[in-house]
Amino acid sequence: MTGSVKPYVLIADDESLLRMDAEMMFMDAGFSVCQARTGEEALSVLERLGDTIQVLFTDVQMPPGQLSGIELARTCAGQWPRIAIVIVSGMTLPPLDTLPESAIFVRK
């Protein structure tokens, strides 16, 4: 008996409670989840597992790292164009011309 392979989502957010909430939401939707707390950590996950990840879910700002969620999304769109990108923020709407064309923005 072979089981179906669940799609993977990478959740990149500096706030652990928000990562856990997003994880539950995606798991309820049938995804397997990887988490990262900084843009650099998320990029490392993408470099290792980019072929298996279907969705990148990232916050705009992710201190203490140097790589913002928008920069992470732009890198992802350039290197892994098949990965769907969702950018979220509870603060301000980022300038739309800074987002990758394929990304969608959602307010937290």
Side-chain angles (χ1 to χ4, degrees):
M1 175 183 220
T2 57
S4 62
V5 176
K6 290 184 177 184
Y8 267 89
V9 62
L10 170 57
I11 299 169
D13 198 308
D14 60 308
E15 295 186 37
S16 61
L17 291 177
L18 294 175
R19 281 195 317 272
M20 289 188 318
D21 284 347
E23 178 180 29
M24 294 304 295
M25 175 185 69
F26 280 106
M27 288 177 68
D28 287 348
F31 285 83
S32 293
V33 175
C34 298
Q35 291 188 25
R37 65 177 191 88
T38 66
E40 292 82 4
E41 191 177 310
L43 186 56
S44 177
V45 171
L46 284 168
E47 289 169 348
R48 284 181 296 136
L49 303 174
D51 292 340
T52 61
I53 294 172
Q54 283 79 31
V55 179
L56 169 63
F57 181 86
T58 183
D59 192 3
V60 169
Q61 297 178 334
M62 288 188 292
Q66 298 297 313
L67 189 64
S68 75
I70 292 175
E71 293 164 332
L72 172 64
R74 293 173 68 96
T75 300
C76 180
Q79 293 186 17
W80 300 276
R82 62 163 191 72
I83 295 177
I85 301 170
V86 179
I87 301 171
V88 299
S89 178
M91 304 298 249
T92 60
L93 176 67
L96 296 179
D97 63 346
T98 64
L99 304 179
E101 276 187 35
S102 60
I104 62 168
F105 176 79
V106 177
R107 251 188 212 288
K108 285 185 189 177

XYZ file of all heavy atoms in Angstrom:
818
model
N 0.846 -1.178 0.000
C 0.000 0.000 0.000
C 0.891 1.240 0.000
O 1.755 1.392 0.840
C -0.883 -0.026 1.248
C -1.708 1.203 1.427
S -2.628 1.087 2.983
C -4.137 1.773 2.454
N 0.677 2.099 -0.981
C 1.465 3.324 -1.052
C 0.625 4.504 -0.604
O -0.522 4.660 -1.003
C 1.967 3.577 -2.488
O 0.851 3.631 -3.357
C 2.943 2.512 -2.921
N 1.217 5.358 0.231
C 0.519 6.544 0.687
C 0.789 7.698 -0.249
O 1.746 7.707 -0.997
N -0.108 8.667 -0.222
C 0.107 9.838 -1.069
C 1.126 10.758 -0.416
O 1.223 10.834 0.800
C -1.216 10.578 -1.286
O -1.719 11.043 -0.055
N 1.899 11.421 -1.249
C 2.905 12.354 -0.762
C 2.238 13.704 -0.552
O 1.591 14.232 -1.444
C 4.066 12.470 -1.772
C 5.063 13.511 -1.320
C 4.725 11.122 -1.967
N 2.399 14.244 0.647
C 1.818 15.546 0.950
C 2.687 16.647 0.358
O 3.911 16.543 0.349
C 1.735 15.766 2.457
C 0.721 14.918 3.165
C 0.690 15.303 4.630
C -0.359 14.520 5.373
N -0.451 14.953 6.778
N 2.052 17.714 -0.130
C 2.840 18.848 -0.593
C 3.501 19.548 0.597
O 2.990 19.491 1.718
C 1.799 19.760 -1.254
C 0.495 19.375 -0.643
C 0.621 17.928 -0.267
N 4.647 20.182 0.345
C 5.391 20.868 1.394
C 5.234 22.374 1.298
O 5.236 22.931 0.202
C 6.886 20.546 1.306
C 7.294 19.397 2.169
C 7.257 18.102 1.669
C 7.705 19.586 3.479
C 7.627 17.026 2.456
C 8.082 18.516 4.268
C 8.041 17.248 3.747
O 8.414 16.184 4.523
N 5.138 23.012 2.454
C 5.166 24.466 2.552
C 6.323 24.838 3.479
O 6.585 24.142 4.455
C 3.835 25.040 3.073
C 3.516 24.571 4.469
C 3.825 26.564 3.039
N 7.032 25.908 3.139
C 8.070 26.459 3.998
C 7.515 27.737 4.615
O 7.152 28.667 3.898
C 9.338 26.764 3.198
C 10.429 27.567 3.913
C 10.876 26.890 5.206
C 11.599 27.813 2.982
N 7.418 27.754 5.941
C 6.929 28.919 6.668
C 8.129 29.657 7.236
O 8.885 29.095 8.027
C 5.978 28.509 7.811
C 4.758 27.769 7.246
C 5.567 29.730 8.632
C 3.905 27.095 8.300
N 8.312 30.918 6.824
C 9.424 31.736 7.296
C 8.856 32.949 8.040
O 8.264 33.839 7.436
C 10.290 32.185 6.126
N 9.009 32.943 9.352
C 8.513 34.040 10.190
C 9.341 34.068 11.460
O 9.672 33.016 12.005
C 7.037 33.833 10.527
C 6.350 35.098 11.014
O 6.879 35.738 11.966
O 5.304 35.454 10.463
N 9.674 35.256 11.940
C 10.517 35.370 13.127
C 9.745 35.135 14.420
O 10.344 34.891 15.455
C 11.221 36.737 13.180
C 10.250 37.896 13.217
O 9.353 37.942 12.346
O 10.379 38.758 14.090
N 8.423 35.179 14.370
C 7.619 34.993 15.582
C 7.127 33.550 15.677
O 6.366 33.085 14.831
C 6.439 35.957 15.588
C 6.897 37.413 15.671
C 5.740 38.368 15.817
O 4.765 38.021 16.526
O 5.816 39.445 15.219
N 7.550 32.862 16.745
C 7.245 31.431 16.873
C 5.747 31.155 16.950
O 5.281 30.164 16.384
C 7.972 30.830 18.074
O 7.561 31.449 19.272
N 4.971 31.996 17.624
C 3.526 31.762 17.715
C 2.859 31.871 16.350
O 1.950 31.096 16.034
C 2.880 32.724 18.704
C 3.241 32.495 20.171
C 2.605 33.561 21.056
C 2.811 31.107 20.630
N 3.308 32.810 15.544
C 2.746 32.952 14.203
C 3.142 31.777 13.316
O 2.343 31.309 12.507
C 3.176 34.274 13.584
C 2.604 35.506 14.294
C 3.166 36.778 13.691
C 1.091 35.509 14.239
N 4.381 31.291 13.478
C 4.790 30.087 12.731
C 3.914 28.903 13.115
O 3.485 28.131 12.255
C 6.261 29.744 12.987
C 7.251 30.580 12.221
C 8.664 29.982 12.214
N 9.114 29.469 13.491
C 9.740 30.192 14.421
N 9.985 31.472 14.222
N 10.127 29.637 15.548
N 3.642 28.750 14.413
C 2.813 27.622 14.866
C 1.387 27.748 14.331
O 0.799 26.751 13.904
C 2.820 27.529 16.391
C 4.150 27.061 16.933
S 4.224 26.686 18.708
C 3.310 27.977 19.468
N 0.819 28.964 14.341
C -0.528 29.163 13.788
C -0.567 28.824 12.304
O -1.478 28.136 11.839
C -0.989 30.611 13.993
C -1.418 30.905 15.413
O -1.610 29.955 16.203
O -1.568 32.108 15.738
N 0.438 29.315 11.571
C 0.500 29.027 10.131
C 0.691 27.528 9.888
O 0.090 26.954 8.977
C 1.620 29.833 9.483
N 1.525 26.905 10.724
C 1.746 25.465 10.588
C 0.432 24.706 10.734
O 0.123 23.821 9.929
C 2.754 24.973 11.622
C 2.974 23.481 11.551
C 3.973 22.969 12.574
O 4.110 23.573 13.653
O 4.619 21.944 12.285
N -0.355 25.035 11.740
C -1.638 24.349 11.943
C -2.580 24.571 10.757
O -3.243 23.642 10.304
C -2.299 24.820 13.249
C -1.528 24.422 14.499
S -1.222 22.634 14.619
C -2.864 22.016 14.771
N -2.603 25.805 10.251
C -3.464 26.119 9.115
C -3.071 25.274 7.895
O -3.935 24.672 7.252
C -3.348 27.612 8.780
C -4.110 28.035 7.547
S -3.828 29.755 7.099
C -2.111 29.702 6.553
N -1.776 25.208 7.612
C -1.328 24.446 6.447
C -1.468 22.941 6.661
O -1.814 22.214 5.731
C 0.112 24.810 6.072
C 0.205 26.087 5.283
C 0.673 27.245 5.878
C -0.193 26.129 3.961
C 0.757 28.427 5.150
C -0.115 27.309 3.224
C 0.359 28.451 3.822
N -1.212 22.462 7.869
C -1.392 21.034 8.139
C -2.861 20.641 7.985
O -3.166 19.590 7.426
C -0.857 20.677 9.522
C 0.666 20.707 9.575
S 1.337 20.378 11.210
C 0.911 18.659 11.417
N -3.770 21.496 8.446
C -5.202 21.238 8.276
C -5.584 21.185 6.798
O -6.545 20.516 6.424
C -6.039 22.303 8.983
C -6.025 22.155 10.503
O -5.568 21.106 11.013
O -6.458 23.109 11.193
N -4.827 21.910 5.965
C -5.085 21.921 4.522
C -4.373 20.777 3.798
O -4.447 20.676 2.576
C -4.655 23.267 3.931
N -3.662 19.918 4.546
C -3.035 18.744 3.954
C -1.570 18.890 3.584
O -1.021 18.032 2.897
N -0.921 19.948 4.050
C 0.493 20.157 3.754
C 1.385 19.564 4.832
O 1.007 19.504 5.996
C 0.814 21.658 3.681
C 0.342 22.334 2.431
C -0.962 22.778 2.313
C 1.215 22.534 1.369
C -1.395 23.418 1.170
C 0.790 23.171 0.219
C -0.521 23.615 0.117
N 2.583 19.174 4.438
C 3.675 18.946 5.376
C 4.375 20.297 5.508
O 4.364 21.099 4.577
C 4.649 17.905 4.841
O 4.026 16.642 4.784
N 4.999 20.553 6.662
C 5.519 21.885 6.945
C 6.987 21.853 7.334
O 7.414 21.014 8.118
C 4.694 22.542 8.085
C 5.274 23.879 8.488
C 3.234 22.695 7.672
N 7.753 22.801 6.786
C 9.102 23.128 7.235
C 9.018 24.544 7.777
O 8.238 25.359 7.273
C 10.095 23.125 6.081
S 10.286 21.566 5.244
N 9.817 24.850 8.791
C 9.801 26.182 9.378
C 11.192 26.795 9.378
O 12.196 26.076 9.474
C 9.314 26.137 10.828
C 7.874 25.789 11.006
C 7.444 25.972 12.456
O 8.016 26.740 13.217
N 6.424 25.233 12.833
N 11.219 28.130 9.304
C 12.463 28.885 9.426
C 12.143 30.175 10.159
O 11.071 30.755 9.964
C 13.037 29.190 8.050
N 13.085 30.634 11.001
C 12.829 31.861 11.761
C 13.513 33.089 11.181
O 13.238 34.200 11.591
C 13.184 31.686 13.228
C 14.627 31.450 13.509
C 14.899 31.358 15.017
N 16.318 31.392 15.252
C 17.036 32.501 15.410
N 16.454 33.657 15.388
N 18.333 32.427 15.581
N 14.416 32.892 10.220
C 15.071 34.009 9.544
C 15.068 33.752 8.040
O 14.888 32.613 7.588
C 16.536 34.193 9.992
O 17.299 33.057 9.559
C 16.662 34.365 11.498
N 15.312 34.817 7.275
C 15.425 34.659 5.828
C 16.578 33.764 5.447
O 16.470 32.950 4.524
N 17.687 33.897 6.166
C 18.854 33.066 5.884
C 18.565 31.590 6.136
O 18.972 30.721 5.356
C 20.055 33.516 6.734
C 20.600 34.883 6.370
C 19.822 36.052 6.985
O 18.878 35.827 7.773
O 20.154 37.193 6.660
N 17.877 31.306 7.226
C 17.512 29.923 7.536
C 16.571 29.373 6.463
O 16.711 28.232 6.016
C 16.850 29.878 8.916
C 16.647 28.501 9.475
C 16.045 28.539 10.876
O 16.559 29.283 11.745
O 15.052 27.826 11.094
N 15.619 30.188 6.030
C 14.682 29.764 4.985
C 15.414 29.505 3.673
O 15.120 28.525 2.980
C 13.600 30.821 4.795
N 16.365 30.350 3.331
C 17.137 30.158 2.107
C 17.928 28.851 2.173
O 18.001 28.107 1.192
C 18.067 31.342 1.876
C 18.825 31.352 0.557
C 17.877 31.262 -0.634
C 19.679 32.607 0.467
N 18.468 28.538 3.337
C 19.181 27.276 3.516
C 18.247 26.087 3.295
O 18.619 25.099 2.652
C 19.798 27.226 4.917
O 20.424 25.991 5.142
N 17.021 26.180 3.818
C 16.030 25.108 3.607
C 15.711 24.989 2.121
O 15.650 23.883 1.571
C 14.754 25.362 4.435
C 13.655 24.379 4.056
C 15.046 25.279 5.928
N 15.522 26.120 1.447
C 15.233 26.088 0.012
C 16.373 25.448 -0.773
O 16.133 24.686 -1.711
C 14.973 27.502 -0.510
C 13.610 28.089 -0.168
C 13.581 29.586 -0.468
C 12.504 27.365 -0.912
N 17.596 25.754 -0.397
C 18.743 25.174 -1.095
C 18.808 23.661 -0.922
O 19.234 22.951 -1.818
C 20.034 25.837 -0.625
C 20.158 27.266 -1.137
C 21.278 28.062 -0.493
O 21.861 27.612 0.525
O 21.552 29.166 -0.996
N 18.363 23.164 0.233
C 18.370 21.717 0.481
C 17.129 21.030 -0.063
O 17.208 19.914 -0.579
C 18.475 21.426 1.980
C 19.862 21.633 2.558
C 19.903 21.308 4.027
N 19.033 22.275 4.703
C 18.160 21.995 5.657
N 18.036 20.794 6.111
N 17.409 22.935 6.197
N 15.961 21.670 0.078
C 14.695 20.994 -0.200
C 13.842 21.674 -1.263
O 12.655 21.379 -1.392
C 13.871 20.906 1.095
C 14.530 20.211 2.281
C 13.654 20.326 3.521
C 14.802 18.754 1.956
N 14.430 22.603 -2.014
C 13.662 23.385 -2.987
C 12.861 22.560 -3.971
O 11.791 22.973 -4.415
N 13.341 21.366 -4.310
C 12.619 20.516 -5.258
C 11.347 19.926 -4.665
O 10.479 19.475 -5.408
C 13.519 19.385 -5.754
C 14.651 19.897 -6.622
O 14.555 21.026 -7.148
O 15.641 19.168 -6.779
N 11.223 19.910 -3.335
C 10.046 19.303 -2.707
C 9.054 20.345 -2.171
O 7.939 19.985 -1.812
C 10.454 18.381 -1.542
O 11.138 19.161 -0.556
C 11.344 17.257 -2.014
N 9.441 21.597 -2.122
C 8.579 22.642 -1.550
C 7.680 23.222 -2.634
O 8.144 23.571 -3.717
C 9.434 23.735 -0.877
C 10.155 23.135 0.326
C 8.574 24.928 -0.459
C 11.171 24.031 0.974
N 6.379 23.318 -2.332
C 5.417 23.880 -3.278
C 5.046 25.326 -2.945
O 4.667 26.079 -3.831
C 4.126 23.045 -3.306
C 4.247 21.751 -4.073
C 4.932 20.662 -3.268
O 4.842 20.605 -2.052
N 5.649 19.788 -3.955
N 5.142 25.710 -1.657
C 4.719 27.047 -1.234
C 5.735 27.634 -0.262
O 6.172 26.952 0.663
C 3.332 27.020 -0.525
C 2.915 28.417 -0.073
C 2.265 26.403 -1.421
N 6.080 28.899 -0.474
C 6.848 29.680 0.489
C 5.882 30.681 1.104
O 5.256 31.464 0.388
C 8.001 30.423 -0.178
C 8.704 31.480 0.694
C 9.369 30.844 1.913
C 9.705 32.272 -0.130
N 5.750 30.644 2.414
C 4.888 31.544 3.177
C 5.818 32.356 4.063
O 6.428 31.813 4.984
C 3.911 30.707 4.016
C 2.935 31.492 4.832
C 1.735 31.913 4.282
C 3.204 31.797 6.156
C 0.815 32.626 5.053
C 2.295 32.497 6.927
C 1.102 32.914 6.372
N 5.981 33.650 3.768
C 6.983 34.442 4.471
C 6.452 35.777 4.953
O 5.613 36.396 4.302
C 8.228 34.666 3.584
O 9.213 35.376 4.338
C 7.911 35.450 2.326
N 6.942 36.201 6.101
C 6.662 37.525 6.643
C 7.554 38.532 5.919
O 8.637 38.180 5.441
C 6.965 37.525 8.147
C 6.440 38.754 8.867
O 5.776 39.601 8.236
O 6.697 38.871 10.065
N 7.133 39.790 5.867
C 7.941 40.833 5.238
C 9.209 41.083 6.043
O 10.312 41.081 5.513
C 7.128 42.146 5.084
C 8.025 43.300 4.682
C 6.003 41.958 4.067
N 9.050 41.290 7.348
C 10.196 41.585 8.200
C 10.509 40.381 9.072
O 9.611 39.821 9.696
C 9.900 42.783 9.092
C 9.673 44.057 8.314
C 9.325 45.212 9.217
O 8.796 45.030 10.304
N 9.611 46.407 8.752
N 11.809 40.015 9.123
C 12.220 38.875 9.939
C 13.533 39.145 10.666
O 14.553 38.542 10.363
C 12.340 37.619 9.074
C 11.010 37.084 8.647
S 11.160 35.505 7.830
C 11.978 35.962 6.327
N 13.512 40.060 11.618
C 14.729 40.214 12.428
C 14.924 38.950 13.249
O 13.947 38.257 13.489
C 14.412 41.415 13.313
C 12.925 41.533 13.325
C 12.427 40.893 12.066
N 16.059 38.551 13.632
C 17.322 39.281 13.634
C 18.147 39.081 12.368
O 19.278 39.545 12.302
C 18.046 38.684 14.828
C 17.605 37.254 14.829
C 16.171 37.284 14.358
N 17.621 38.429 11.360
C 18.392 38.164 10.154
C 18.586 39.393 9.289
O 17.948 40.430 9.493
N 19.447 39.269 8.305
C 19.724 40.361 7.377
C 18.851 40.291 6.124
O 18.684 41.288 5.436
C 21.203 40.328 6.970
C 22.155 40.515 8.123
C 21.994 41.870 8.782
O 21.934 42.893 8.118
N 21.896 41.870 10.101
N 18.287 39.113 5.839
C 17.506 38.890 4.624
C 16.024 39.072 4.935
O 15.454 38.326 5.728
C 17.781 37.467 4.117
C 17.251 37.060 2.758
C 17.895 37.889 1.654
C 17.530 35.583 2.525
N 15.392 40.074 4.325
C 13.963 40.316 4.567
C 13.128 39.271 3.835
O 13.621 38.559 2.948
C 13.566 41.710 4.075
O 13.485 41.739 2.655
N 11.862 39.203 4.186
C 10.956 38.284 3.516
C 10.788 38.610 2.044
O 10.642 37.710 1.207
N 10.811 39.901 1.707
C 10.695 40.298 0.301
C 11.939 39.856 -0.468
O 11.840 39.315 -1.571
C 10.453 41.810 0.171
C 9.056 42.139 0.724
C 10.586 42.264 -1.280
C 8.727 43.598 0.782
N 13.116 40.048 0.116
C 14.345 39.589 -0.538
C 14.346 38.068 -0.686
O 14.758 37.536 -1.723
C 15.567 40.059 0.250
C 15.757 41.561 0.227
C 16.717 42.064 1.292
O 16.845 41.423 2.366
O 17.340 43.104 1.044
N 13.874 37.368 0.352
C 13.751 35.914 0.285
C 12.807 35.513 -0.843
O 13.114 34.619 -1.634
C 13.254 35.363 1.622
C 12.900 33.879 1.663
C 14.132 33.017 1.407
C 12.262 33.532 3.002
N 11.665 36.182 -0.934
C 10.681 35.877 -1.972
C 11.256 36.121 -3.363
O 11.042 35.326 -4.284
C 9.426 36.713 -1.759
N 11.993 37.205 -3.533
C 12.594 37.512 -4.837
C 13.640 36.457 -5.213
O 13.715 36.020 -6.367
C 13.188 38.915 -4.826
C 12.120 39.996 -4.720
C 12.733 41.369 -4.541
N 13.417 41.763 -5.756
C 12.894 42.527 -6.701
N 11.659 42.982 -6.542
N 13.569 42.843 -7.774
N 14.445 36.030 -4.241
C 15.431 34.976 -4.491
C 14.732 33.676 -4.860
O 15.121 32.989 -5.810
C 16.332 34.773 -3.259
O 17.017 35.997 -2.981
C 17.340 33.656 -3.482
N 13.694 33.343 -4.116
C 12.929 32.121 -4.384
C 12.323 32.163 -5.786
O 12.431 31.186 -6.535
C 11.838 31.955 -3.323
S 10.833 30.473 -3.548
N 11.709 33.276 -6.144
C 11.084 33.405 -7.469
C 12.115 33.253 -8.586
O 11.817 32.670 -9.629
C 10.360 34.746 -7.581
N 13.321 33.756 -8.358
C 14.365 33.656 -9.367
C 14.963 32.265 -9.497
O 15.225 31.795 -10.608
N 15.172 31.589 -8.360
C 15.836 30.280 -8.383
C 14.871 29.100 -8.433
O 15.224 28.034 -8.943
C 16.752 30.149 -7.178
C 17.928 31.107 -7.245
C 18.917 30.868 -6.112
O 18.921 29.828 -5.454
N 19.777 31.845 -5.883
N 13.687 29.264 -7.876
C 12.680 28.199 -7.839
C 11.347 28.773 -8.309
O 10.396 28.904 -7.527
C 12.549 27.625 -6.426
C 13.805 27.028 -5.904
C 14.274 25.759 -6.128
C 14.794 27.667 -5.069
N 15.477 25.584 -5.488
C 15.824 26.729 -4.834
C 14.910 28.938 -4.503
C 16.939 27.029 -4.054
C 16.019 29.239 -3.738
C 17.021 28.290 -3.520
N 11.226 29.107 -9.592
C 10.028 29.810 -10.087
C 8.722 29.024 -9.963
O 7.653 29.622 -9.960
C 10.363 30.105 -11.551
C 11.458 29.160 -11.907
C 12.206 28.867 -10.641
N 8.788 27.732 -9.778
C 7.550 26.938 -9.662
C 6.949 26.999 -8.260
O 5.814 26.591 -8.046
C 7.799 25.484 -10.060
C 8.791 24.798 -9.164
C 8.775 23.300 -9.255
N 9.561 22.732 -8.193
C 9.215 22.718 -6.920
N 8.088 23.230 -6.536
N 10.002 22.185 -6.002
N 7.708 27.507 -7.266
C 7.201 27.601 -5.895
C 6.258 28.787 -5.790
O 6.613 29.919 -6.148
C 8.359 27.735 -4.879
C 9.219 26.463 -4.882
C 7.822 28.020 -3.474
C 10.442 26.528 -3.969
N 5.052 28.535 -5.301
C 4.088 29.619 -5.057
C 4.561 30.416 -3.843
O 5.084 29.840 -2.885
C 2.703 29.037 -4.803
N 4.378 31.738 -3.890
C 4.878 32.596 -2.819
C 3.739 33.420 -2.234
O 3.026 34.112 -2.966
C 5.987 33.533 -3.333
C 7.152 32.712 -3.906
C 6.459 34.466 -2.215
C 8.174 33.538 -4.654
N 3.613 33.344 -0.896
C 2.651 34.155 -0.156
C 3.452 35.005 0.817
O 4.179 34.470 1.658
C 1.629 33.289 0.611
C 0.652 34.172 1.381
C 0.892 32.347 -0.340
N 3.332 36.327 0.694
C 4.031 37.260 1.570
C 2.996 37.895 2.489
O 1.969 38.380 2.017
C 4.763 38.342 0.758
C 5.769 37.692 -0.201
C 5.452 39.341 1.682
C 6.375 38.651 -1.196
N 3.286 37.873 3.808
C 2.332 38.416 4.782
C 2.998 39.486 5.636
O 4.216 39.504 5.794
C 1.763 37.302 5.691
C 1.010 36.257 4.880
C 2.844 36.649 6.522
N 2.163 40.376 6.163
C 2.659 41.384 7.100
C 1.496 41.910 7.918
O 0.393 42.077 7.410
C 3.324 42.545 6.367
O 3.755 43.526 7.303
N 1.771 42.166 9.179
C 0.803 42.802 10.053
C 1.061 44.292 10.154
O 0.321 45.018 10.786
N 2.127 44.749 9.539
C 2.521 46.149 9.624
C 1.964 46.926 8.434
O 0.810 47.250 8.396
C 4.051 46.260 9.678
C 4.660 45.464 10.814
S 4.105 46.032 12.401
C 5.606 46.724 13.005
N 2.794 47.174 7.466
C 2.402 48.002 6.333
C 2.427 47.204 5.050
O 3.134 46.200 4.932
C 3.369 49.199 6.177
O 4.682 48.685 5.968
C 3.346 50.080 7.403
N 1.689 47.676 4.089
C 1.690 47.080 2.770
C 2.996 47.448 2.080
O 3.320 48.631 1.965
C 0.508 47.614 1.959
C 0.408 47.173 0.507
C 0.109 45.684 0.438
C -0.671 47.957 -0.203
N 3.776 46.462 1.663
C 5.027 46.791 0.973
C 4.713 47.374 -0.407
O 3.667 47.081 -0.977
C 5.735 45.440 0.856
C 4.654 44.432 0.940
C 3.557 45.028 1.774
N 5.607 48.201 -0.933
C 5.396 48.696 -2.302
C 5.259 47.509 -3.259
O 6.075 46.591 -3.239
C 6.664 49.498 -2.595
C 7.220 49.843 -1.247
C 6.824 48.712 -0.343
N 4.203 47.507 -4.040
C 3.921 46.357 -4.901
C 5.028 46.086 -5.903
O 5.243 44.939 -6.296
C 2.581 46.544 -5.611
C 1.361 46.582 -4.680
C 0.089 46.791 -5.473
C 1.272 45.319 -3.842
N 5.778 47.120 -6.307
C 6.854 46.891 -7.268
C 8.062 46.190 -6.644
O 8.987 45.813 -7.344
C 7.272 48.197 -7.947
C 7.836 49.222 -6.971
O 7.673 49.062 -5.742
O 8.437 50.201 -7.448
N 8.043 45.979 -5.323
C 9.133 45.239 -4.678
C 8.837 43.747 -4.590
O 9.734 42.965 -4.288
C 9.412 45.761 -3.248
O 8.259 45.526 -2.432
C 9.771 47.233 -3.255
N 7.588 43.352 -4.834
C 7.197 41.947 -4.737
C 7.452 41.232 -6.059
O 7.278 41.817 -7.123
C 5.710 41.824 -4.394
C 5.226 42.532 -3.137
C 3.731 42.331 -2.978
C 5.969 42.066 -1.920
N 7.846 39.965 -5.998
C 7.949 39.195 -7.244
C 6.581 39.152 -7.932
O 5.545 39.144 -7.261
C 8.359 37.796 -6.782
C 8.893 37.971 -5.401
C 8.202 39.166 -4.831
N 6.584 39.125 -9.245
C 5.321 39.116 -9.996
C 4.397 37.981 -9.591
O 3.185 38.144 -9.553
C 5.601 39.010 -11.499
C 5.895 40.320 -12.150
C 5.985 40.174 -13.659
O 5.245 39.359 -14.251
O 6.814 40.889 -14.235
N 4.972 36.834 -9.301
C 4.163 35.647 -8.998
C 3.664 35.608 -7.556
O 2.841 34.759 -7.211
C 4.986 34.389 -9.283
O 6.152 34.382 -8.468
N 4.141 36.509 -6.703
C 3.785 36.480 -5.271
C 2.448 37.154 -5.025
O 2.030 38.052 -5.756
C 4.864 37.173 -4.458
N 1.789 36.698 -3.962
C 0.595 37.398 -3.496
C 0.878 37.932 -2.099
O 1.673 37.359 -1.359
C -0.672 36.503 -3.519
C -0.505 35.308 -2.572
C -0.992 36.047 -4.918
C -1.798 34.567 -2.341
N 0.228 39.043 -1.759
C 0.401 39.656 -0.452
C -0.882 39.497 0.336
O -1.978 39.715 -0.191
C 0.746 41.140 -0.586
C 0.827 41.836 0.750
C 1.965 41.710 1.541
C -0.238 42.576 1.233
C 2.044 42.322 2.786
C -0.168 43.192 2.473
C 0.968 43.070 3.244
N -0.756 39.116 1.625
C -1.900 38.958 2.516
C -1.584 39.673 3.822
O -0.495 39.512 4.375
C -2.191 37.456 2.806
C -3.333 37.300 3.786
C -2.446 36.704 1.526
N -2.521 40.473 4.302
C -2.367 41.109 5.612
C -2.649 40.105 6.718
O -3.572 39.335 6.637
C -3.370 42.251 5.760
C -2.728 43.565 5.731
C -3.711 44.661 6.078
N -3.384 45.850 5.383
C -2.337 46.600 5.688
N -1.559 46.254 6.652
N -2.084 47.684 5.006
N -1.798 40.131 7.754
C -2.005 39.237 8.910
C -3.210 39.720 9.678
O -3.479 40.871 9.807
C -0.801 39.252 9.833
C 0.383 38.491 9.336
C 1.452 38.495 10.412
C 2.757 37.951 9.922
N 3.787 38.007 10.922
